[in-house]
């Protein structure tokens, strides 16, 4: 009995040791947890699981997805920011949402952006405006003319106040002087039903979630808020092509808790580069209509910083949540 | 089609089917594990499986978990999922009367009936049925949720006023959380874990399972049922033919309700079960027996909630629109395998899709067989002394609520709801309206506000659309009918006291 206890104690101590000083040479020695701040089966979760599979193969250890959904991602990101920086906890971050909470929820937000160190951006999913196939609006101009003719009467869906779709729509309003009547939904799926059922005039959402219905001819994309046309829906023109200079997207990438030992970070970075370059990985994402947009380390950090500055300026000029 | 059928009956298919069905039964029966969680737990497992087999697994877990919840609802009055709250209303009184075998048998046959009928609907007429999902806009959902609430308050309590009180409490709790329309945090007290509102599962587990465990602790009998009732466990299981004949109309009607409610995104198994229960009671020649151990009161909710399974897959597969939370996870499972829901699923990926649909028939029969064979043994759970059973229930409740989102906050919530549920039980405040209001509250609120956004706050908008008008009439009928019944009963009896709400059924 006593012997068993001693054996257990020794095992426990030995099991604990590696996490004290993680070195790249023997890292990783146990499975890595990957926090996803949204539920299982959502588009962030699906991307995370595919990335985890390819990264795990290269790291020689399983990368296990842990879903910590809640508070629009805040709960998961708080867990990531406050995790031990030993390389055994990494996580997914979603831009722009992860950047806005520190000022839109300044009083209550649980994480500090400085404690989240970006590793690799994987997907940048542009926003778009779409109407149902039977809609009289054939182009962005048709639609905006109708909105301007009847200000505040033409309905446009978004996924919730302060989300990337809402921010995109606000930017379109600013750029064109149009005034939409916003109808709030909890997610693109609900909004798509309302669009197909003719309950709203138009839909502002992410390309990856509308692409399938566009390919089937059920809905028509009027404009995509990206610098260039997208492979998944090549027939949809960009906003800029039609004179509306708006860029809006939701980006999903991998991040780590700040303070990770440099060599561990470098190892994860090297593995990430291999994963996003892997044709099989790219093919899986293409099948899901998720446009790949790799940005690594400092470049990714700069992208997030720039995005933060733009959004903060927007918020300071006119906060979208009034308290 | 034939090759799809062969895939299901292949050794691999049958093995996956069996594992899925068994896992679903356990997930459903245990308090703390919901159908949604069961299917979500499949996703990481299916990652490395062929796409058709992973759909078979998820489908089997889904349908059998909806059935599994009825087992504990009947035997212990701890519904394993929200789908079976209504089943406990008559199932548990039957068990107390020593007819647990019969109740389990009826619930099994009803689940098989509803599940199979909805799978037929999915197989044969999915595309036209899917259009129903599109007819329903924010206006129609608003009135539909009102109808659901009115129905439930009328069903569950011998004192309607108390039902109204707990329903209102549920609606108030449903306002907690982030308001997606304005960005306000409501009643979260700076707590980020309340951001998404009061989570349903801890409320469900606390109010039904933990409170029942507490009941057991304070009860003097030492077991969930009296000694005499337990001894009768070995009674008949398969429903007698006359019983089945009597229930046939109820089974048909409830399955129809389940399929339609299943197609409508947002509404779910629990609502279908309550509407079906209410309709069964309304059409019954002996409505006064409901709530006291009426077999039809088990048949109605169980056929309805299993009919939701096939129904909810109709818009999911044909339009890519999830019929409820479980099928939303389904969509995730489909996309992981590169299957984008929509009409292409029935053309380009027909074999995979039909493999799923055929497997649903098999899963329904499989859980029914396991249920019928197992009923006698499962019934013995009621012989477990309370001193062992109640800690077990509490342990499963705590683990389940923690697993939901890896949060200790939810564990505290479960225990708080458990204590609240215990006292509500003592003071005869029904818990079901609270849980249902917690489910329907957010639906009611967002759809009401959404329709107001569209109509510029013009309330008359609800009377300008045909489907919405019909639903309004149904709401009025649901309120008026019990009053009419009550009056009639009073006239017949010559005397009787007025009910506080005029909603009848409070003759106690």
């Amino acid at each position: 009995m006593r012997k068993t206890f001693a054996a257990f104690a020794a095992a426990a101590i030995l099991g604990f040791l590696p996490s004290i000083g993680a070195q790249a040479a023997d890292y990783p020695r146990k499975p890595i947890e990957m926090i996803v701040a949204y539920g299982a089966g959502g588009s962030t979760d699906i991307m995370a699981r595919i990335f985890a599979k390819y990264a795990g193969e290269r790291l020689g250890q399983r990368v296990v997805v842990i879903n910590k959904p809640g508070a629009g991602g805040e709960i998961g990101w708080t867990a990531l920011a406050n995790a031990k920086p030993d390389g055994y906890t990494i996580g997914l971050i979603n831009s722009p949402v992860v950047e806005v909470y520190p000022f839109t929820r300044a009083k209550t937000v649980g994480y500090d952006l400085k404690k989240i160190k970006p590793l690799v951006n994987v997907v940048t999913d542009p926003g778009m405006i779409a109407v149902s196939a039977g809609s009289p609006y054939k182009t962005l101009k048709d639609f905006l003319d109708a909105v301007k003719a009847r200000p505040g009467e033409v309905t446009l869906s978004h996924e919730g106040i302060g989300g990337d779709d809402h921010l995109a729509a606000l930017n379109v309003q600013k750029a064109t002087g149009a005034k939409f009547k916003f109808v709030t939904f909890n997610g693109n799926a609900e909004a798509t039903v309302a669009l197909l059922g003719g309950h709203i005039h138009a839909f502002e959402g992410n390309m990856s979630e509308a692409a399938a219905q566009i390919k089937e001819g059920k809905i028509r994309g009027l404009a995509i808020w990206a610098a260039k046309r997208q492979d998944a829906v090549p027939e949809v023109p960009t906003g800029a092509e039609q004179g509306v200079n708006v860029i809006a997207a939701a980006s999903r990438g991998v991040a780590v808790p700040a303070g990770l030992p440099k060599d561990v970070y470098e190892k994860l970075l090297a593995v990430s580069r291999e994963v996003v370059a892997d044709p099989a990985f790219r093919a899986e994402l293409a099948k899901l209509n998720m446009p790949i947009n790799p940005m690594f380390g400092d470049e990714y950090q700069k992208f997030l910083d720039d995005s933060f500055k733009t959004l903060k300026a927007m918020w300071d000029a006119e906060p979208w949540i009034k308290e | 089609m034939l090759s799809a059928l062969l895939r299901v009956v292949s050794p691999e298919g049958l093995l996956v089917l069996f594992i899925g069905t068994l896992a679903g039964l356990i997930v459903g029966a245990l308090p703390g594990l919901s159908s949604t969680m069961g299917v979500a737990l499949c996703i990481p497992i299916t990652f490395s499986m062929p796409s058709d087999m992973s759909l078979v697994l998820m489908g089997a877990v889904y349908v059998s978990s909806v059935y599994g919840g009825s087992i504990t609802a009947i035997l212990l009055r701890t519904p394993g999922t929200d789908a079976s709250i209504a089943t406990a209303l008559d199932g548990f009184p039957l068990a107390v009367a020593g007819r647990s075998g019969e109740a389990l048998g009826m619930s099994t046959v009803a689940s098989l009936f509803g599940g199979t009928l909805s799978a037929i609907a999915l197989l044969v007429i999915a595309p036209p049925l899917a259009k129903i999902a599109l007819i329903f806009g924010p206006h129609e959902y608003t009135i539909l949720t009102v109808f659901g609430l009115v129905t439930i308050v009328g069903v569950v309590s011998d004192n309607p006023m108390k039902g109204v009180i707990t329903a209102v409490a549920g609606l108030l709790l449903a306002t907690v959380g982030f308001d997606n329309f304005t960005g306000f945090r409501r009643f979260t007290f700076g707590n980020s874990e309340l951001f998404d509102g009061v989570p349903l599962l801890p409320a469900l587990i606390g109010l039904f399972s933990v409170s029942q465990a507490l009941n057991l602790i304070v009860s003097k009998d030492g077991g969930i049922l009296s000694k005499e009732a337990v001894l009768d466990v070995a009674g008949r299981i398969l429903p007698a033919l006359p019983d089945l004949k009597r229930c046939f109309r109820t089974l048909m009607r409830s399955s129809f309700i389940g399929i339609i409610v299943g197609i409508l995104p947002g509404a779910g198994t629990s609502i279908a079960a309550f509407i079906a229960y209410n309709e069964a009671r309304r059409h019954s020649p002996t409505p006064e027996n409901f709530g006291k151990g009426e077999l039809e009161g088990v048949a109605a909710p169980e056929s309805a909630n299993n009919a939701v399974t096939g129904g909810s897959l109709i818009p999911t597969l044909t339009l890519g629109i999830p019929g409820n939370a479980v099928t939303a996870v389904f969509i995730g499972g489909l996309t992981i395998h590169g299957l984008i829901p929509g009409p292409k699923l029935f053309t380009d990926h027909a074999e995979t899709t039909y493999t799923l649909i055929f497997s649903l028939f098999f899963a329904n029969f499989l859980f029914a067989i396991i249920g019928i064979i197992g009923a006698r043994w499962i019934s013995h759970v009621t012989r477990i002394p309370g001193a062992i059973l109640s800690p077990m229930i509490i342990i499963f409740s705590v683990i389940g609520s923690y697993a939901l989102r890896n949060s200790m906050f939810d564990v505290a919530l479960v225990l708080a709801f458990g204590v609240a549920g215990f006292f509500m039980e003592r003071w005869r405040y029904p818990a079901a309206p609270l849980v249902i209001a917690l489910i329907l509250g957010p639906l009611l609120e967002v759809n009401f506000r959404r329709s107001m956004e569209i109509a510029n706050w013009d309330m008359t908008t609800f009377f300008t659309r045909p489907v919405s008008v019909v639903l309004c009439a149904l709401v009025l009928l649901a309120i008026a009918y019990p009053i009419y019944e009550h009056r009639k009963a009073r006239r017949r009896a010559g005397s009787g006291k007025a009910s506080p709400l005029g909603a009848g059924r409070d003759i106690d």
Side-chain angles (χ1 to χ4, degrees), chain A residues 40-42 45-46 49-50 53 66-72 74-75 78 104-108 152-153 155 158-161 181-187 189-190 192-194 196-200 212-213 215-216 218 284 287-289 320-323, chain B residues 40 43-44 47 133-141 178-185 190 192-193 195-196 265 318-322 328-329 331-333 335-345 402 404-406 443 446 450 453-456 465:
Chain A
D45 176 71
I46 292 171
R49 286 180 195 278
I50 296 173
K53 183 173 75 178
I66 307 276
N67 298 93
K68 281 193 185 255
E74 191 188 320
I75 288 176
T78 303
T104 61
R105 301 178 179 178
K107 273 183 260 169
T108 54
E153 280 186 41
T155 47
H158 66 78
E159 269 195 310
I161 195 154
K181 176 151 83 177
F182 287 122
V183 184
T184 316
F185 286 85
N186 302 326
E190 277 188 7
T192 311
V193 188
L196 292 174
H199 307 293
I200 51 170
Q213 303 275 10
K215 283 177 184 168
E216 270 167 19
K218 292 266 184 61
E284 284 205 36
K287 219 161 58 176
L288 298 170
N289 299 314
W320 48 86
I321 301 171
K322 295 171 184 75
E323 295 206 31
Chain B
I43 284 193
F47 208 53
L134 297 182
I135 296 170
F136 271 66
H139 303 71
E140 287 75 19
Y141 279 115
F178 182 76
D179 173 13
N180 216 11
F181 287 70
T182 61
F184 272 108
R185 289 173 288 266
S192 64
E193 275 162 314
F195 218 96
D196 296 316
T318 55
L319 302 173
I321 297 161
V329 178
I331 289 197
T335 44
I336 276 189
H337 290 284
L339 302 164
I340 310 294
K344 282 225 170 93
L345 224 45
Y402 179 78
L404 180 66
R405 46 180 192 176
N406 302 326
L443 276 176
V446 299
R450 215 170 270 159
E453 279 181 335
I454 292 173
N456 289 328
R465 302 159 58 107

Side-chain angles (χ1 to χ4, degrees), chain B residues 67-146:
Chain B
Y67 160 69
S70 70
I71 299 172
T72 34
I74 290 169
L75 294 176
L76 306 175
R77 215 188 45 181
T78 59
T81 63
D82 60 334
S84 303
I85 299 175
T87 312
L89 295 177
D90 278 277
F92 186 66
L94 279 168
V96 170
R99 297 166 69 192
S100 57
E102 249 178 291
L104 286 175
M106 179 50 87
S107 122
T108 311
V109 170
S111 298
L112 171 66
F113 191 91
T116 307
L117 224 55
S118 74
I120 293 174
L122 174 63
L123 179 68
V124 184
I125 43 171
L129 279 182
K131 295 217 169 68
I132 297 176
L134 297 182
I135 296 170
F136 271 66
H139 303 71
E140 287 75 19
Y141 279 115
T142 308
I143 310 297
L144 181 71
T145 40
V146 172

Side-chain angles (χ1 to χ4, degrees), chain A residues 4-316:
Chain A
T4 333
F5 175 76
F8 269 119
I13 291 165
L14 283 177
F16 185 65
L17 272 178
S19 63
I20 293 172
Q23 295 296 318
D26 57 359
Y27 170 84
R29 293 180 50 153
K30 59 175 185 180
I32 296 166
E33 289 192 354
M34 187 180 210
I35 298 175
V36 170
Y38 297 94
S43 46
T44 303
D45 176 71
I46 292 171
M47 195 211 90
R49 286 180 195 278
I50 296 173
F51 184 88
K53 183 173 75 178
Y54 284 87
E57 282 168 9
R58 286 174 171 78
L59 285 164
Q61 281 287 358
R62 271 164 53 76
V63 178
V64 185
V65 170
I66 307 276
N67 298 93
K68 281 193 185 255
E74 191 188 320
I75 288 176
W77 297 324
T78 303
L80 174 65
N82 299 330
K84 201 164 162 196
D86 58 3
Y88 292 101
T89 307
I90 61 177
L92 261 272
I93 56 170
N94 301 53
S95 163
V97 193
V98 71
E99 298 135 48
V100 300
Y101 294 159
F103 51 86
T104 61
R105 301 178 179 178
K107 273 183 260 169
T108 54
V109 70
Y111 63 89
D112 181 353
L113 263 187
K114 290 195 196 71
K115 289 181 75 179
I116 298 176
K117 189 171 168 60
L119 182 74
V120 54
N121 184 65
V122 182
V123 163
T124 297
D125 191 354
M128 70 183 307
I129 282 193
V131 293
S132 70
S135 162
Y137 314 124
K138 306 284 184 207
T139 63
L140 182 64
K141 186 173 174 301
D142 289 350
F143 177 65
L144 290 175
D145 286 348
V147 178
K148 284 175 190 163
R150 297 183 291 152
E153 280 186 41
V154 179
T155 47
L156 177 71
S157 73
H158 66 78
E159 269 195 310
I161 195 154
D164 59 293
D165 300 330
H166 180 233
L167 297 177
L170 289 180
N171 273 328
V172 175
Q173 287 198 147
K174 211 164 81 181
T176 61
K179 188 99 186 69
F180 303 116
K181 176 151 83 177
F182 287 122
V183 184
T184 316
F185 286 85
N186 302 326
N188 277 335
E190 277 188 7
T192 311
V193 188
L195 186 70
L196 292 174
H199 307 293
I200 51 170
H201 294 111
F203 152 99
E204 169 69 50
N206 288 118
M207 191 273 285
S208 74
E209 280 156 323
Q213 303 275 10
I214 292 177
K215 283 177 184 168
E216 270 167 19
K218 292 266 184 61
I219 66 180
R220 175 165 59 238
L222 295 183
I224 196 145
W225 309 123
K228 56 179 176 48
R229 293 195 183 204
Q230 299 291 308
D231 293 339
V233 284
E235 71 279 17
V236 181
T238 65
E241 279 177 55
Q242 305 172 80
V244 181
N245 264 315
V246 170
I247 299 284
S251 288
R252 304 182 193 110
V254 183
V256 297
L260 198 65
K262 194 163 184 318
D263 46 0
V264 173
Y265 183 80
E266 290 299 331
K267 173 135 192 196
L268 284 171
L269 199 57
V271 165
S272 305
R273 282 180 199 278
E274 283 176 35
V275 169
V276 293
D278 187 332
F281 175 76
R282 299 179 84 100
E284 284 205 36
L285 290 194
K287 219 161 58 176
L288 298 170
N289 299 314
M290 292 182 184
I292 199 159
N293 177 30
M295 286 184 275
F296 304 96
D298 295 340
E299 183 196 0
Y300 187 19
Q301 178 77 62
K302 184 175 177 306
F303 165 79
L304 294 176
D305 289 346
D306 289 348
S307 162
F308 176 85
K309 274 181 212 139
T310 316
L311 292 164
K312 182 76 169 52
M314 228 174 115
W315 169 263
D316 290 342

